[in-house]
Amino acid sequence: MIYVKFLIQIIVVSGIIYFVSGRLIGSSINFVRRVLSVVISVTLTSFVYWYSYLRHTNFLSESMMQTVTEVSTLIWIGSMLLISMLLYLVFELFDSSGIASGDRRHGQRSILLRLRSYWRQQKRLRQVLKIAVTNGVVQTIKYARQRENEKELAIALRTTLEQCGGIFIKFGQVLSTRKELFSPIFIDELERLQQSVRPLQPEQVTKILAHSLPKAVDEVFTSFHMEPLAAASIGQVHKARLKNYDEVVVKLLRPEVKGIMRDDLDILEEFANWLTSKSTWAESLGFRELAGGFADGLREEIHLDIEVRNTLQVTNALAKSDYKVRIPKIYTQYSDEDIIVMEYVRGKSVAEGASEFRRLSIDRRQFAQTVLYSFFEQMLFSGIFHADPHPGNIYIDETDGTPILLDFGAVGRLGATQQEGLKLFLMGIQQNDSSILYDGLMLLVENAAHAERARMEQAIDQILLKITYVDRIPTEELIHSLFTVVRDFGLAFYPSVGLALRSLVTLDGTLRIIDRQFDIFTEAKDFSSAYMRAAFLKPFKEPMATKERLQEELSMLIPTLRKMPRRVDQLIQRVESGKIILHHDIFSDEHNARFITQLFSRFVLLLVGITFGIISVALLAISQFIHDSYAVYLNTAAYLGLFLCAILLVRLSIQALRSMKQ
């Protein structure tokens, strides 16, 4: 009974330490690190307390439990609290993966589930890092600047991704398309990554259909082919026929894929963080951002209802387009986040369409031009575009030769400013004008305020000189060079802009399969000319629509115009009275104000902590010269002050570490 009581007391004290230390450390606390800190602290201090004091007493007897002095108990509990915070600081110091990722990642799941998930992820992460080290990624990454060592690194990276399997292989396949970032050595090696996927069993397919369809399977389909047309790591596609005899394809999401995403995508991001921390090469490539973008895209891709929405948006955006492309119809009444039912289109991929081009007497250049102009319209005017235009996603309709666009799992979105920047970007390349190209780039990068115009235009001029006097502008090389210049000047494209430029590289490769002589920048000039002519002639072709548009614009301008004379008069009066003062307030910027406020508050805490420390040391020194009962009170106050000083300094250290990581 006495042992049980003593154990209960330890558990109660541990709970108090867990709560108080969490409040003192601050918000965004990682659950696992917090528990480990408390457990180690309680174990260590309890052992020291027992060894230094309790073992010399009969502490297990109830009477002895009551004779434990309050001072020793307070020192024991205070030591627990301080050491638990110091241990948390150590864990925070040696954790390179970010702040409180565990809590954000797992949301409101129970403690046991979080612990099990954390243990499983750490085990998997150790396995991935062991594979990377065994394959020599760490050794070769230090010497990647030399060509032969770059080849070794490419092989090591490909082997590591291959052996890790699953999401890692798919990530490598995506990296193999990033020709604007990686050298041909890496591209050739990563393109060798292949992933064999077993088709779902018929009973699994039946279960998914029964769960996802609003009606029974035989009430929706007259026939359903259990043999898939294609199987991939995320889902697979079957052919079927609806009750109204429409031929459709049914895309199913693999049932285990969401669990895999939850685990392996987090591990992939941890691996990318580790690789970036080991190499400036990986950091300059933005390897961490590549993994993060891939993970975000894949998390969206596993929700098929998002693909349905993307398809409908692009379809509606191109409804009145002059450049006719076909997009399969989506049967929304049968589609949800786990299944898509869409129109079955008969045709062949452009990569295998030589026979179709001949059979239908299709002008290859005209076909490629239609596809390109449709993409330009999506990017430059609609603002939503197909982001993965590889040859497998562009088909030739076998009936009339119309281009067919498939798979809208990945789309990009560009705002009006970015659309304008992309137009200037294309115009600057076509006119070989670095100033126009610079103006366009400044609308496409996030931190344009830090750009150095003169130096950057000089760098752009060097790029333009490389593509001057050639028959065809090398799209891949050009965009790779622009990415490099932007990165070298400490700038970064908006994610959606980077996606658009990568899509242009992919599209260029696809169009070159259709027509080897096709040049998207030459065609961009023709597209711009045609668009400008159409925009100029539109008021004459549609006078009523133009009149209505002008009336709308004027109705919006009239209130502002009416206020203009009064505002001009007020401005003149202020100038005459000398009340116009130009100033810049750094606190008007929210980011600056928050930074200054946080810095000042931490500085105040630091001063308070140091003050406690100085006063406590002074009290300890004074107590040495006092030999009456007051010395006890001075010593108590001094040790309490030192304790508070340590608490404040540990909290400040943890906050500083978090700020550096963020």
Side-chain angles (χ1 to χ4, degrees):
M1 186 65 185
I2 296 175
Y3 285 102
V4 173
K5 185 176 180 180
F6 185 73
L7 182 61
I8 291 173
Q9 289 176 340
I10 292 291
I11 293 173
V12 170
V13 170
S14 300
I16 295 171
I17 297 300
Y18 176 85
F19 175 77
V20 175
S21 65
R23 301 295 294 178
L24 290 174
I25 291 169
S27 59
S28 301
I29 305 172
N30 184 287
F31 169 77
V32 176
R33 292 203 289 271
R34 187 176 173 187
V35 169
L36 284 175
S37 301
V38 172
V39 169
I40 296 172
S41 172
V42 170
T43 304
L44 179 64
T45 54
S46 297
F47 174 77
V48 172
Y49 188 37
W50 169 82
Y51 187 82
S52 61
Y53 178 75
L54 292 181
R55 73 189 182 104
H56 302 296
T57 64
N58 187 16
F59 70 95
L60 291 178
S61 66
E62 293 212 26
S63 60
M64 195 61 216
M65 291 292 291
Q66 295 171 357
T67 61
V68 176
T69 63
E70 293 183 6
V71 174
S72 65
T73 304
L74 287 175
I75 292 174
W76 175 41
I77 295 174
S79 300
M80 281 187 196
L81 180 60
L82 183 58
I83 292 174
S84 68
M85 292 182 66
L86 286 170
L87 286 170
Y88 192 92
L89 174 61
V90 172
F91 291 147
E92 198 83 33
L93 181 64
F94 288 98
D95 175 47
S96 61
S97 59
I99 304 302
S101 57
D103 285 347
R104 291 195 301 269
R105 185 182 300 156
H106 301 302
Q108 300 299 321
R109 290 191 289 168
S110 69
I111 292 175
L112 290 177
L113 286 176
R114 279 192 276 173
L115 283 172
R116 188 181 69 177
S117 176
Y118 178 81
W119 174 255
R120 185 176 62 244
Q121 288 178 353
Q122 291 302 308
K123 182 179 178 181
R124 172 68 166 145
L125 179 59
R126 286 194 297 270
Q127 179 189 23
V128 169
L129 295 182
K130 182 179 178 182
I131 291 172
V133 173
T134 303
N135 288 318
V137 171
V138 179
Q139 290 84 350
T140 56
I141 206 168
K142 296 177 181 178
Y143 309 104
R145 296 189 181 278
Q146 298 179 15
R147 191 173 183 84
E148 61 273 15
N149 291 317
E150 191 176 52
K151 176 68 174 176
E152 291 177 14
L153 176 58
I155 294 172
L157 183 60
R158 190 262 302 165
T159 307
T160 297
L161 296 175
E162 202 165 48
Q163 291 179 3
C164 291
I167 295 302
F168 288 82
I169 291 179
K170 190 171 181 66
F171 179 52
Q173 291 170 338
V174 170
L175 292 183
S176 70
T177 66
R178 300 299 302 271
K179 298 180 180 179
E180 82 284 1
L181 290 179
F182 291 95
S183 67
I185 295 174
F186 275 90
I187 299 300
D188 292 343
E189 200 63 40
L190 293 172
E191 283 177 342
R192 296 173 57 188
L193 286 167
Q194 297 296 328
Q195 187 171 12
S196 57
V197 180
R198 291 183 179 180
L200 293 171
Q201 296 298 315
E203 55 270 19
Q204 290 177 296
V205 173
T206 303
K207 184 177 180 180
I208 295 171
L209 292 173
H211 176 265
S212 300
L213 291 172
K215 302 177 182 177
V217 176
D218 55 1
E219 292 181 28
V220 177
F221 304 110
T222 57
S223 64
F224 188 94
H225 297 267
M226 283 294 176
E227 188 70 25
L229 296 174
S233 57
I234 292 179
Q236 64 185 44
V237 177
H238 295 259
K239 186 178 178 183
R241 188 183 292 273
L242 295 174
K243 282 291 188 179
N244 62 0
Y245 300 105
D246 286 352
E247 284 189 300
V248 294
V249 292
V250 182
K251 184 175 181 179
L252 306 175
L253 187 72
R254 288 180 172 273
E256 76 280 4
V257 77
K258 290 184 179 178
I260 293 173
M261 295 296 174
R262 183 188 62 233
D263 295 335
D264 261 18
L265 283 180
D266 291 331
I267 300 301
L268 175 63
E269 291 183 282
E270 297 277 8
F271 171 72
N273 287 337
W274 172 81
L275 194 62
T276 303
S277 69
K278 295 291 181 182
S279 167
T280 54
W281 171 82
E283 185 177 5
S284 66
L285 280 177
F287 202 83
R288 181 191 293 111
E289 290 73 21
L290 286 173
F294 169 78
D296 292 340
L298 216 54
R299 289 188 183 104
E300 185 174 297
E301 196 173 332
I302 62 174
H303 295 282
L304 296 184
D305 53 339
I306 295 178
E307 182 176 341
V308 170
R309 183 189 65 195
N310 293 341
T311 307
L312 294 175
Q313 282 185 306
V314 178
T315 301
N316 294 334
L318 298 180
K320 297 181 180 180
S321 173
D322 294 330
Y323 313 109
K324 296 303 177 184
V325 296
R326 185 176 173 187
I327 298 174
K329 173 187 174 183
I330 300 289
Y331 294 83
T332 54
Q333 66 271 35
Y334 303 128
S335 304
D336 67 6
E337 65 176 10
D338 296 323
I339 184 174
I340 299 178
V341 179
M342 71 179 76
E343 174 189 5
Y344 176 72
V345 291
R346 298 182 180 276
K348 284 188 177 180
S349 163
V350 292
E352 304 168 348
S355 59
E356 291 298 299
F357 282 123
R358 288 194 300 269
R359 184 177 69 83
L360 297 170
S361 301
I362 299 173
D363 184 330
R364 286 175 174 263
R365 181 178 178 278
Q366 186 65 44
F367 185 94
Q369 191 180 68
T370 301
V371 172
L372 177 65
Y373 285 7
S374 176
F375 270 85
F376 277 158
E377 190 166 22
Q378 293 170 46
M379 285 184 180
L380 304 179
F381 304 105
S382 301
I384 179 169
F385 60 91
H386 192 304
D388 193 18
H390 64 75
N393 283 339
I394 299 179
Y395 271 53
I396 310 162
D397 192 319
E398 67 176 29
T399 57
D400 58 5
T402 302
I404 303 172
L405 304 185
L406 301 175
D407 190 359
F408 289 84
V411 301
R413 291 176 174 84
L414 295 170
T417 302
Q418 295 162 353
Q419 292 172 29
E420 186 64 29
L422 206 54
K423 292 171 191 174
L424 290 173
F425 169 82
L426 294 171
M427 187 186 302
I429 291 171
Q430 188 53 45
Q431 295 188 9
N432 205 38
D433 191 322
S434 60
S435 62
I436 296 177
L437 190 51
Y438 174 86
D439 291 337
L441 287 176
M442 289 306 99
L443 297 176
L444 301 177
V445 296
E446 293 179 329
N447 39 358
H450 301 101
E452 301 176 63
R453 180 163 193 136
R455 291 183 60 225
M456 198 164 177
E457 281 192 18
Q458 178 64 26
I460 293 171
D461 271 329
Q462 294 300 313
I463 295 173
L464 293 176
L465 285 171
K466 292 179 182 179
I467 61 173
T468 305
Y469 307 117
V470 293
D471 295 332
R472 175 183 171 274
I473 297 175
T475 306
E476 181 182 318
E477 180 184 341
L478 171 63
I479 292 183
H480 179 278
S481 299
L482 287 171
F483 265 89
T484 303
V485 166
V486 167
R487 189 168 60 245
D488 289 346
F489 279 86
L491 307 175
F493 284 114
Y494 289 107
S496 56
V497 172
L499 182 60
L501 295 177
R502 293 193 296 272
S503 298
L504 282 178
V505 174
T506 305
L507 181 62
D508 180 62
T510 302
L511 298 178
R512 291 276 288 165
I513 290 174
I514 299 169
D515 181 2
R516 291 173 182 251
Q517 304 303 319
F518 200 80
D519 181 1
I520 66 171
F521 290 109
T522 300
E523 297 296 334
K525 181 180 180 181
D526 296 339
F527 175 83
S528 300
S529 301
Y531 179 80
M532 293 302 293
R533 285 196 302 272
F536 179 76
L537 295 174
K538 187 174 181 179
F540 302 101
K541 291 182 178 179
E542 302 175 3
M544 292 305 297
T546 303
K547 178 184 175 183
E548 292 176 1
R549 181 65 177 170
L550 285 173
Q551 288 175 341
E552 291 176 1
E553 294 290 342
L554 284 172
S555 65
M556 294 172 66
L557 282 173
I558 284 173
T560 303
L561 291 173
R562 291 175 60 185
K563 295 176 183 177
M564 284 299 293
R566 185 169 66 255
R567 289 180 176 176
V568 171
D569 183 56
Q570 291 174 349
L571 178 62
I572 292 173
Q573 289 179 6
R574 286 175 175 272
V575 171
E576 289 176 346
S577 61
K579 292 181 179 179
I580 298 294
I581 300 174
L582 296 177
H583 71 282
H584 178 69
D585 183 5
I586 61 169
F587 293 99
S588 62
D589 183 87
E590 183 181 351
H591 177 76
N592 289 341
R594 185 167 58 250
F595 173 77
I596 295 296
T597 303
Q598 289 178 351
L599 187 64
F600 182 73
S601 63
R602 290 176 187 175
F603 181 69
V604 170
L605 278 177
L606 178 63
L607 287 180
V608 171
I610 292 173
T611 303
F612 271 123
I614 292 172
I615 293 174
S616 300
V617 171
L619 288 175
L620 284 175
I622 293 170
S623 67
Q624 302 302 314
F625 302 99
I626 298 177
H627 302 290
D628 54 20
S629 59
Y630 290 107
V632 176
Y633 298 109
L634 285 177
N635 283 331
T636 302
Y639 286 121
L640 181 61
L642 287 174
F643 177 74
L644 291 174
C645 172
I647 292 290
L648 287 172
L649 293 180
V650 171
R651 180 186 171 109
L652 279 172
S653 300
I654 292 172
Q655 289 180 344
L657 279 174
R658 289 176 175 175
S659 298
M660 286 190 292
K661 290 180 184 179
Q662 290 170 348

